[in-house]
């Protein structure tokens, strides 16, 4: 499966963005999807994930209450809704997929997409 993240851009602090992770080549139906981010000089970190069934989610503490993840299997797409954005959320955001269960490590994902840049200005 090929994954394409999109929706990044420049936003002011306090604003919102919605990122999309679109899959092609196979259905995302039973795959868990995770979002990661990499800021300059910082290792890639787990942000948020959703299980293959959609029933389970996992969040990094820094985004809980501000970010939400959802999936639309009919569109073969997973969304990351980011609200109350902060300058420290500035990073390249990546999505990745793996069978069934969420993993919090990038190397735990079988399918990995290219990133989309999110810049939050103060």
């Amino acid at each position: 499966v090929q994954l394409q993240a999109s929706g990044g851009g420049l936003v002011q602090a306090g604003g919102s963005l919605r990122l999309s992770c679109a899959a092609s080549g196979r259905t995302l139906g039973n795959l868990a999807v995770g979002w990661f981010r990499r800021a300059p000089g910082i290792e890639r970190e787990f942000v948020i994930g959703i299980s293959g069934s959609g029933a389970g989610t996992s969040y990094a503490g820094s985004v809980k209450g501000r970010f939400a993840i959802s999936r639309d299997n009919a569109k073969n797409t997973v969304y990351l809704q980011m609200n109350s954005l902060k300058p420290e959320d500035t990073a390249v955001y990546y999505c990745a997929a793996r069978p069934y269960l969420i993993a919090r490590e990038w190397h735990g994902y079988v399918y990995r997409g290219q990133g989309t840049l999110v810049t939050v200005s103060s």
Side-chain angles (χ1 to χ4, degrees), residues 27-80:
T27 178
L28 275 178
N30 65 343
L31 297 179
V33 175
W35 283 94
F36 293 77
R37 66 186 180 188
R38 176 183 281 170
I42 299 176
E43 290 187 1
R44 195 182 337 241
E45 63 175 352
F46 174 79
V47 177
I48 196 169
I50 188 167
S51 66
S53 69
T57 55
S58 180
Y59 300 78
S62 59
V63 307
K64 194 167 186 179
R66 300 189 298 123
F67 290 13
I69 189 169
S70 62
R71 61 192 306 151
D72 185 339
N73 286 345
K75 295 184 178 180
N76 224 21
T77 300
V78 170
Y79 302 100
L80 171 57

